[in-house]
Amino acid sequence: MIEPQQAEAFQKRMNEQGWSLFFQDGGQSQFIGWAYMMKWEKTLEDERRAEVTLHYSDNHGELEAYLEMNPPAKPLMDALVAEL
């Protein structure tokens, strides 16, 4: 889990650490808010592909953010989020 207030800093750190943003979408959510989703990928030294998705929503002032990732990305995201 990531705190909604960390979402902007998270996006910046992903860029700084060389992750490639390959998908971004957003818009109105449930008629009372908005949401977006961003997906990054990175090829690791052992040639495995790490993938991470940030989900963010603001529904009538109720903020929520969370990360979805594949197993190769997990240790990298644990370290990155701990630094935020």
Side-chain angles (χ1 to χ4, degrees):
M1 192 61 126
I2 185 172
E3 294 296 324
Q5 299 80 1
Q6 296 174 314
E8 190 173 324
F10 176 82
Q11 294 170 41
K12 183 178 179 185
R13 294 288 291 147
M14 291 294 279
N15 185 47
E16 292 170 355
Q17 292 189 6
W19 288 79
S20 298
L21 180 65
F22 71 93
F23 179 82
Q24 183 173 351
D25 192 19
Q28 187 173 353
S29 169
Q30 300 177 11
F31 301 110
I32 57 172
W34 59 277
Y36 65 82
M37 179 175 56
M38 301 173 80
K39 293 184 177 189
W40 291 268
E41 65 183 1
K42 185 176 190 177
T43 302
L44 305 179
E45 291 178 9
D46 61 4
E47 300 302 318
R48 291 183 302 159
R49 193 168 118 195
E51 297 179 1
V52 178
T53 304
L54 168 64
H55 299 268
Y56 181 92
S57 65
D58 178 349
N59 290 311
H60 201 56
E62 195 168 315
L63 305 177
E64 180 182 41
Y66 65 94
L67 299 174
E68 184 178 347
M69 67 203 77
N70 67 350
K74 176 114 174 65
L76 300 171
M77 292 303 99
D78 288 344
L80 189 149
V81 171
E83 295 173 0
L84 295 178

